[in-house]
Amino acid sequence: MKFAIQVNEGPYQHQASDSAYHFTKAALEKGHECFRVFFYHDGVLNGTRLTTPPQDDRNVVNNWVELAEKYDLDLVVCVAAAQRRGIVDEGEAQRNGKDATNIAPRFRISGLGQLVEAAIQCDKLVVFGD
Amino acid sequence: MSDLHTVNKSPFEKPSLDTCLRLSKPGSSILLYEDGVYAAITGTTATDKVASALADKKVYVLEPDFKARGLKAERLIEGVEMVDYAGFVDLVDACGKVQAWL
């Protein structure tokens, strides 16, 4: 089965991101396919590589990155939500005149069309949020 | 194919569970996870609602979230089934659509 995942909340504020991660991991371990994980609203905050949680706490961002590396996941951050919240890649930094980037590896910034495409292409879209 | 409804809000915080129970069709499945697990225990104002929903719907609760909140299996409403994340995946796999009552 082909899943698509939508994450609407940032890490540490709400359990949604953890739930989405554990669900995606369990699905992949069962041999299912994940077409895309789309981070929307505060969910885009899962895509900054600059987070430094305490060492005895889980690192939500790194969890996503490692899962993406293992299973070649497509982690997509909504561009409009990212601009509002300061999630920046090279292209966005140039376009908007920013002096730095913070996008985590394996994440990419793109538009809402990616969510629509994921919803069309997948068998099931599962939404995690508040 | 019947749908899966997911509820992640405590029934004492938001009316998500009430809305879900009112609008879900007989034969559908409901998964309680995150703070939604509080609806799965006996002795609360939500107990009767969930117990009567079991007449024509299946109700599941996510075990890691249930345990993370210090809830004991002895207090689980009879007929509510415990699943882990793999079970969550199986429920999504087996259902028609997934409706998240956020």
Side-chain angles (χ1 to χ4, degrees):
Chain A
M1 173 148 301
K2 205 187 287 179
F3 289 104
I5 309 293
Q6 183 182 334
V7 183
N8 292 340
E9 289 297 319
Y12 308 107
Q13 173 69 21
H14 191 276
Q15 201 187 334
S17 177
D18 292 284
S19 297
Y21 167 75
H22 288 298
F23 178 87
T24 307
K25 187 165 175 275
L28 293 166
E29 281 168 357
K30 275 184 154 284
H32 295 293
E33 192 185 327
C34 180
F35 181 78
R36 181 168 293 147
V37 183
F38 190 84
F39 297 88
Y40 200 19
H41 305 294
D42 273 3
V44 302
L45 297 168
N46 285 283
T48 168
R49 66 170 188 274
L50 300 185
T51 51
T52 314
Q55 286 192 349
D56 59 350
D57 195 358
R58 72 221 185 279
N59 189 319
V60 176
V61 176
N62 287 357
N63 281 349
W64 281 116
V65 173
E66 283 157 21
L67 198 65
E69 275 165 2
K70 187 168 179 191
Y71 293 98
D72 195 24
L73 280 183
D74 188 18
L75 306 179
V76 176
V77 169
C78 170
V79 63
Q83 285 173 338
R84 289 186 176 94
R85 292 164 181 83
I87 303 297
V88 183
D89 64 3
E90 283 295 340
E92 285 299 304
Q94 277 183 9
R95 205 170 4 262
N96 300 306
K98 301 296 177 186
D99 59 4
T101 70
N102 63 347
I103 190 95
R106 304 294 313 206
F107 281 80
R108 63 188 180 95
I109 297 179
S110 191
L112 207 48
Q114 301 282 311
L115 173 62
V116 177
E117 187 200 25
I120 293 168
Q121 294 295 331
C122 74
D123 300 308
K124 304 276 168 66
L125 172 66
V126 190
V127 184
F128 295 88
D130 190 11
Chain B
M1 204 186 284
S2 68
D3 292 337
L4 174 69
H5 299 262
T6 63
V7 177
N8 70 338
K9 297 292 177 296
S10 161
F12 318 115
E13 178 200 1
K14 280 189 175 181
S16 312
L17 178 71
D18 291 329
T19 317
C20 168
L21 294 176
R22 195 175 74 239
L23 296 175
S24 55
K25 288 183 183 157
S28 45
S29 299
I30 299 166
L31 172 71
L32 305 168
Y33 75 115
E34 295 179 0
D35 282 351
V37 300
Y38 289 114
I41 52 172
T42 53
T44 79
T45 51
T47 303
D48 284 350
K49 295 177 200 172
V50 173
S52 44
L54 283 164
D56 58 0
K57 289 161 196 170
K58 289 205 155 197
V59 182
Y60 302 87
V61 65
L62 192 67
E63 189 173 11
D65 288 351
F66 188 82
K67 285 188 170 165
R69 285 158 180 78
L71 301 175
K72 299 275 180 273
E74 303 92 87
R75 285 194 68 188
L76 194 65
I77 296 169
E78 204 183 325
V80 175
E81 270 181 59
M82 202 91 98
V83 293
D84 56 8
Y85 275 102
F88 185 175
V89 173
D90 290 342
L91 287 174
V92 175
D93 190 5
C95 75
K97 288 187 292 290
V98 189
Q99 173 64 50
W101 295 94
L102 299 177

